Amino acid sequence: MRSFRSHSLAQVALLITLIFITLTSTTTATPLQSSQLHDHSRRDAYAAASAAAGGSVHELVKRATTTTAAVCTATSTVKTTQTVKTTQTVKTTQTVSSVVYVTQTVTASSTKATLSDVSSTMNTGTASTSGVVASVSVSTSKGASETAQIPASATTTLATSTYTTSLDKSGAVTSAPTPTAATTKTSSLASSVSINTKTISTSASGVTTAGVAKPSSNALFAPIALDNPASKFGSREHTQMPLSISGSFLTQPIQTNKFYGNMYLGTQEQPSWVHPYVLSWINNNSTGFYGMMVSHVDDGQKVYGPDASANPVQYYINPGGMHSLSFSAQEFDTDMTMSLEKLDHMSVNVRFQPSVASRSGNQALLMPMVNGMGFVTGKYYKLTPAFNSGILVRSLTQVKAPYSNSYKYEILLEDGKMWVMYAFPDSTVQKAFNLTVVSNSRLVNAGGQFSGIIQIAKVPNTQGATNSGAVDPSYTITSAISVYDTYAGTYATGVTLGGSVQGDYGSYTFNYAKTGRAVPLLMFALPHHEASFSSSTLAGKTSVQLQSTTMGLMTAYAADVWEMVESDLPTDVGFLPWSPLGKSATYTTKALAAIASAANSEVSQDFIAQTDLDSMYYSGKGLAKFAHICLAINDVLGDKALGTTCLNKLKTAFATFQTNTQQWPLIYDTTYAGLVSTQGFSQGSLSDFGNTWYNDHHFHYGYHVHAAAIIGHLDPTWLTDANKVYVNNLIRDVANPSANDQYYPVMRTFDWFVGHSWSKGIFESGDGKDEESSSEDFNMWYAQKMWANVIGDNDMEARSNLMLAVIKRSLNSYMLMDTDNTIQPANFIGNFVTGILFMNKADHTTYFGTLEQYIQGIHAIPSISVSGYVRQPTFIQHQWDAKISSIIGGVTDGWKGILYLDYANTDPVAAWNFFNSTSFSSNYLDGGMSLTWSLTYAAGLGGVTA
């Protein structure tokens, strides 16, 4: 991930047509050597040089929708970090130096939307705009369509909503602007909302039940170990304390790399991505909005840049600040409280309450956040429900509810998007729910305090386009609402992960805990889920589809259990090179001589000098480099003497870490429950790429685990309890499989819902978690697989094989984009790799530079035996032809070796000829590469012809 904080480029998309986003971007870049991948001094110098180069103004986008308008100006260098109202440099060389939101006033004065002049002036971070007129007002009346229209009232003062702006140069995270609540109320607020008499098919209401998630189907997710790591590593509290977690939940392991991290960090108002919905806590005294804001961005609302007409574009982003509806209560104000409960790896529960001073008894709003949830659900306890809209309400229609003792409303917003709302009063209270319009931005239950369930869902208002661009003929707005009608009243409260593996066949399940009516859950699936669903899960497919932010179109399925099947687990991939093309190793006499020559030279290097470094990341790369040299000597050359020399040096180097006597030892953090470098506590959160703040643990520790697996493979006597405890703790920190292990959170980095890991740790981020290196992601799970193999942990090995199959499917859907990819935007897939994939955007760049070899290469490092399983040969060839062949001749550093070694998976002969050339230079080797392994790898894939 290699980032620390990052915020949205365009955190606004509010009222009336037009999004203007202007960036000044410098593309001058001084090439970085791959060995300087994360060298802080060189990176800072690179940033300074880039910033000094100046910038040219690019108009990113001028496109009209029917309802959004905002103006944003920014000045940036080299790579747009797309920061909202901040100057924060996000562990990157590309600093956003100024971002300005335009003050914008929306006045409700007509029944037709009109667009007045919107202008901006780039003047050292200042901008101005004229007012924008909207087609909303605040009075409620009965219209001819039996819908509660909100026309202008000639006798009342017009409501206004202003979008406030500020420019923060301190680097602090700031939240996206949201409109103020309407300032005027009319005398007609008590008018009743009429009932539409259209016929709705109904079914009998089921019995309210509380579902219990099913347990794992076998020992696949059994604990690795249960020992206390503090006894080996020592312990301390973290200096970055989580917010709004208390009681017993604070004493349990806290997830650091999950979708809801923003809710306990910093301002706590940055978004959480549950897919397809985006949720944010809003506690804003200036707007009068309090509670949980719900947003969703359609595909046509994405912003592309910096040149929107380019193909491929550099990035796309989902505009922020598009706050459709919020869950709130009349009792909430700026002193309201928010707390998090049950912080699991795919869900969290959020509790909102009035201020302590004004709270009466157990008043609360409980909201579960579960990946893929079909409805956004709030459970109210003795509160007066209220709903705010930053987009503003155009009409409110109460329609016949599909079930007894329930209520249903259709809410049309000023962006032309429709939402449906369902209310299910607590059966013990039997109190009516009467949603009324207070203003164009606020709806309130006129019936007073309420206890029960309220749910909302967005209705797709265009025909459902499949990921291939075809139109689903079964979709209509009526059919979508009918689906919501059928499954309303039940909601997920959590997920239990299950799975089983038999040979190269595996499956995994999401077993949802639920509450509510006795009907199946409605949950949205990502494309890679659908592609692997079992037939029983596919049977629950509906016609409802909503766009995710960065992972394509999601489809709603009705099922309490999802089963995903993978039938090609990499059980035959071992330590030595594995050919995805089925080619045999060609370790000819010529090949062995070349490998031996390289090995004799490289074994003489100083192992300690290249491994005992001030970085767990670089140290791990060094250990893995020498481990692969030892592997080649022993398993390919069969040189016992040289192999013993190599292995002894490697063991000595590794012992520094096993005894925790490296330059910056690890320590067990009792706050979040994890192993972190001590460096960050004295050198700051940016040290070692944020390891102490839980960045990149799967990258860092994956190299160490990989080296340990090779040592154990070459010498089983090395697998002492001390060595196994150390390595197992690294794995437990990154990927503890069981909640029974109370010393680490479950699956810290790997996200089973999206199918890959997230790298960002405990840093607030306007664009959510991200991942920059897909290959270092699967390196961790391959390392775990091989470690399990040598210690005889069959469950861990089976789990690793399943994870590799899942990540293969996920990465080839979202991050590695071949020419036939239909999931990512058509004008983006020509980049072949996403670059950095965030939860809210995809940016074809890296955190350390913008050269193409960096962007392509960071997704190919390191080249290991499983690389060709994940990175398909056809993809590599297409990528080479389109992005690499034209530049490779000019690459003179370690990125040349990285790209050629990856190319061996599709053209091993070309790779062998490159590494075995008489003109080969050691400059072409990355700091984590060796010529020994490069030759072994190319020959092992069939690269030697004679």
Side-chain angles (χ1 to χ4, degrees):
M1 181 227 35
R2 302 174 183 80
S3 76
F4 297 90
R5 296 174 111 162
S6 113
H7 319 287
S8 301
L9 168 68
Q11 289 278 343
V12 286
L14 298 166
L15 183 65
I16 305 301
T17 46
L18 203 59
I19 294 177
F20 287 102
I21 298 178
T22 309
L23 293 178
T24 30
S25 179
T26 308
T27 55
T28 305
T30 303
L32 296 176
Q33 302 298 312
S34 62
S35 59
Q36 302 161 356
L37 189 63
H38 307 297
D39 182 88
H40 291 264
S41 61
R42 292 185 182 273
R43 185 177 64 248
D44 294 343
Y46 172 69
S50 299
S56 57
V57 178
H58 297 280
E59 180 174 334
L60 286 184
V61 63
K62 284 186 179 181
R63 66 193 177 86
T65 65
T66 58
T67 51
T68 56
V71 177
C72 176
T73 62
T75 315
S76 70
T77 64
V78 184
K79 175 243 171 204
T80 57
T81 57
Q82 303 159 358
T83 303
V84 177
K85 300 193 300 183
T86 179
T87 59
Q88 177 69 30
T89 304
V90 189
K91 194 188 173 182
T92 175
T93 62
Q94 301 83 30
T95 306
V96 172
S97 57
S98 66
V99 178
V100 180
Y101 279 103
V102 176
T103 301
Q104 175 175 283
T105 302
V106 180
T107 305
S109 61
S110 69
T111 58
K112 295 291 184 181
T114 61
L115 179 65
S116 59
D117 293 336
V118 180
S119 62
S120 68
T121 55
M122 295 187 62
N123 181 18
T124 320
T126 63
S128 64
T129 183
S130 59
V132 181
V133 181
S135 63
V136 292
S137 72
V138 297
S139 64
T140 300
S141 65
K142 183 185 295 187
S145 64
E146 303 299 311
T147 295
Q149 303 287 347
I150 312 179
S153 171
T155 61
T156 56
T157 305
L158 297 176
T160 62
S161 293
T162 59
Y163 297 81
T164 56
T165 179
S166 63
L167 176 61
D168 183 357
K169 295 184 178 180
S170 68
V173 177
T174 51
S175 60
T178 55
T180 62
T183 57
T184 305
K185 302 178 182 180
T186 71
S187 59
S188 58
L189 292 177
S191 300
S192 62
V193 179
S194 62
I195 304 296
N196 190 318
T197 57
K198 67 182 180 181
T199 301
I200 300 177
S201 59
T202 62
S203 58
S205 178
V207 179
T208 300
T209 60
V212 178
K214 298 178 180 178
S216 173
S217 57
N218 67 356
L220 199 64
F221 298 99
I224 297 171
L226 297 173
D227 57 290
N228 187 347
S231 62
K232 178 176 179 61
F233 298 95
S235 63
R236 62 161 292 168
E237 288 188 341
H238 207 284
T239 57
Q240 173 73 55
M241 299 301 292
L243 305 173
S244 300
I245 305 173
S246 60
S248 62
F249 301 108
L250 191 59
T251 63
Q252 297 171 7
I254 298 173
Q255 293 286 352
T256 56
N257 295 56
K258 300 307 180 186
F259 67 92
Y260 53 81
N262 280 331
M263 298 202 76
Y264 63 76
L265 296 168
T267 67
Q268 299 180 269
E269 294 190 7
Q270 294 297 335
S272 297
W273 286 262
V274 295
H275 308 296
Y277 298 111
V278 180
L279 277 61
S280 310
W281 179 31
I282 300 296
N283 187 19
N284 196 321
N285 190 45
S286 63
T287 65
F289 286 6
Y290 309 101
M292 185 76 89
M293 271 290 183
V294 182
S295 304
H296 178 267
V297 175
D298 286 329
D299 197 38
Q301 295 172 300
K302 284 184 169 66
V303 177
Y304 299 86
D307 178 2
S309 64
N311 192 353
V313 293
Q314 178 188 317
Y315 63 80
Y316 70 85
I317 186 169
N318 295 269
M322 298 182 67
H323 293 154
S324 299
L325 289 170
S326 73
F327 282 76
S328 185
Q330 288 283 71
E331 293 83 356
F332 290 169
D333 58 22
T334 190
D335 294 320
M336 70 174 293
T337 64
M338 183 274 286
S339 59
L340 303 178
E341 304 170 352
K342 298 181 180 179
L343 293 82
D344 293 331
H345 63 116
M346 284 192 284
S347 65
V348 66
N349 288 344
V350 187
R351 178 185 294 269
F352 299 102
Q353 292 184 280
S355 64
V356 175
S358 63
R359 189 180 307 164
S360 174
N362 62 346
Q363 287 180 304
L365 166 60
L366 304 180
M367 297 189 68
M369 294 169 56
V370 183
N371 283 141
M373 58 191 191
F375 298 92
V376 183
T377 302
K379 174 69 173 177
Y380 283 84
Y381 291 93
K382 300 179 181 179
L383 292 173
T384 307
F387 299 87
N388 300 307
S389 176
I391 297 176
L392 307 183
V393 178
R394 181 182 298 174
S395 67
L396 174 68
T397 306
Q398 184 173 3
V399 296
K400 182 177 175 60
Y403 308 105
S404 61
N405 193 32
S406 65
Y407 301 83
K408 176 184 172 184
Y409 293 84
E410 294 176 357
I411 304 169
L412 182 63
L413 301 182
E414 280 296 337
D415 60 359
K417 314 297 182 184
M418 180 183 289
W419 293 69
V420 288
M421 177 184 292
Y422 302 88
F424 296 84
D426 190 313
S427 59
T428 64
V429 176
Q430 297 293 328
K431 195 164 187 178
F433 182 77
N434 182 15
L435 193 63
T436 58
V437 177
V438 175
S439 74
N440 51 11
S441 65
R442 189 168 178 84
L443 309 173
V444 175
N445 178 33
Q449 291 189 351
F450 174 88
S451 293
I453 297 167
I454 300 178
Q455 296 181 298
I456 64 171
K458 183 179 179 180
V459 181
N461 61 352
T462 56
Q463 285 192 320
T466 67
N467 287 315
S468 63
V471 172
D472 181 355
S474 68
Y475 177 82
T476 65
I477 291 177
T478 302
S479 68
I481 294 177
S482 177
V483 170
Y484 288 140
D485 284 349
T486 301
Y487 301 106
T490 188
Y491 59 97
T493 59
V495 192
T496 297
L497 178 67
S500 63
V501 169
Q502 292 184 337
D504 60 1
Y505 178 94
S507 66
Y508 62 107
T509 56
F510 296 161
N511 302 274
Y512 292 102
K514 69 175 186 177
T515 296
R517 295 178 52 249
V519 293
L521 283 169
L522 190 69
M523 304 292 291
F524 282 95
L526 288 165
H528 83 280
H529 296 139
E530 288 194 272
S532 59
F533 272 160
S534 66
S535 57
S536 60
T537 307
L538 281 172
K541 184 175 182 179
T542 74
S543 62
V544 177
Q545 294 180 311
L546 287 176
Q547 194 71 28
S548 72
T549 48
T550 59
M551 288 170 285
L553 197 62
M554 302 183 74
T555 302
Y557 280 76
D560 294 342
V561 178
W562 285 5
E563 183 183 31
M564 284 69 65
V565 176
E566 297 292 348
S567 58
D568 183 29
L569 275 58
T571 54
D572 57 342
V573 177
F575 283 99
L576 292 179
W578 177 88
S579 173
L581 301 173
K583 294 185 177 181
S584 300
T586 51
Y587 294 122
T588 64
T589 301
K590 174 183 176 181
L592 293 174
I595 295 169
S597 176
N600 277 280
S601 174
E602 291 177 325
V603 166
S604 67
Q605 294 179 8
D606 189 336
F607 285 28
I608 300 297
Q610 294 186 48
T611 57
D612 189 9
L613 305 174
D614 65 350
S615 163
M616 283 296 288
Y617 176 73
Y618 283 126
S619 296
K621 288 186 67 173
L623 290 169
K625 164 190 170 178
F626 290 116
H628 279 92
I629 293 173
C630 296
L631 177 67
I633 293 171
N634 282 273
D635 286 12
V636 176
L637 295 179
D639 188 330
K640 185 176 181 179
L642 186 62
T644 299
T645 299
C646 182
L647 188 57
N648 287 339
K649 294 178 71 173
L650 177 61
K651 289 177 182 178
T652 300
F654 197 92
T656 300
F657 297 88
Q658 186 274 320
T659 57
N660 208 30
T661 55
Q662 64 268 35
Q663 293 186 31
W664 295 101
L666 299 179
I667 195 166
Y668 180 73
D669 163 33
T670 57
T671 302
Y672 295 95
L675 281 182
V676 298
S677 169
T678 52
Q679 185 176 6
F681 293 124
S682 59
Q683 302 295 311
S685 61
L686 306 183
S687 302
D688 199 5
F689 319 113
N691 180 293
T692 312
W693 263 246
Y694 291 95
N695 281 356
D696 299 359
H697 277 205
H698 57 312
F699 296 166
H700 296 197
Y701 300 162
Y703 285 108
H704 289 257
V705 175
H706 200 163
I710 292 175
I711 298 173
H713 164 68
L714 298 177
D715 181 9
T717 66
W718 180 83
L719 297 171
T720 62
D721 287 345
N723 287 326
K724 288 194 290 186
V725 166
Y726 171 73
V727 177
N728 279 341
N729 269 283
L730 296 182
I731 296 174
R732 288 166 67 192
D733 171 83
V734 173
N736 166 33
S738 172
N740 291 331
D741 182 354
Q742 284 293 299
Y743 293 104
Y744 296 97
V746 174
M747 295 288 168
R748 182 189 306 282
T749 65
F750 193 79
D751 186 331
W752 279 90
F753 189 79
V754 303
H756 62 76
S757 300
W758 297 110
S759 302
K760 184 172 294 175
I762 51 174
F763 292 91
E764 188 178 24
S765 171
D767 283 311
K769 306 303 183 185
D770 67 73
E771 177 140 286
E772 181 184 36
S773 177
S774 57
S775 47
E776 287 178 310
D777 189 350
F778 65 72
N779 176 63
M780 172 68 218
W781 315 123
Y782 170 71
Q784 177 182 258
K785 162 189 164 75
M786 301 317 297
W787 172 253
N789 178 268
V790 299
I791 67 171
D793 188 331
N794 295 331
D795 292 333
M796 183 191 291
E797 186 171 6
R799 183 172 66 251
S800 302
N801 281 325
L802 179 60
M803 293 174 75
L804 286 166
V806 173
I807 202 171
K808 171 186 176 180
R809 185 181 298 279
S810 175
L811 294 182
N812 283 283
S813 297
Y814 312 127
M815 298 182 75
L816 307 177
M817 305 172 293
D818 208 344
T819 54
D820 59 353
N821 186 291
T822 58
I823 297 171
Q824 292 290 9
N827 61 341
F828 186 72
I829 63 172
N831 290 309
F832 282 85
V833 297
T834 52
I836 309 171
L837 182 68
F838 295 79
M839 291 180 173
N840 191 56
K841 70 183 178 186
D843 196 347
H844 187 69
T845 189
T846 73
Y847 282 113
F848 51 88
T850 60
L851 295 182
E852 196 64 42
Q853 57 264 37
Y854 305 166
I855 306 170
Q856 302 295 332
I858 198 62
H859 288 275
I861 184 173
S863 285
I864 50 179
S865 299
V866 80
S867 293
Y869 169 79
V870 178
R871 293 175 54 83
Q872 300 290 282
T874 53
F875 165 79
I876 295 173
Q877 186 64 62
H878 293 158
Q879 176 193 38
W880 183 274
D881 293 341
K883 308 298 289 188
I884 298 173
S885 62
S886 61
I887 65 169
I888 195 67
V891 179
T892 58
D893 58 9
W895 293 103
K896 194 178 192 103
I898 289 169
L899 294 171
Y900 260 111
L901 194 55
D902 179 60
Y903 193 46
N905 287 289
T906 189
D907 192 343
V909 174
W912 170 266
N913 290 339
F914 168 74
F915 286 106
N916 195 45
S917 170
T918 56
S919 61
F920 181 83
S921 169
S922 60
N923 292 333
Y924 300 154
L925 293 175
D926 167 68
M929 291 178 66
S930 69
L931 182 58
T932 302
W933 178 248
S934 299
L935 291 169
T936 301
Y937 193 78
L941 297 178
V944 182
T945 57

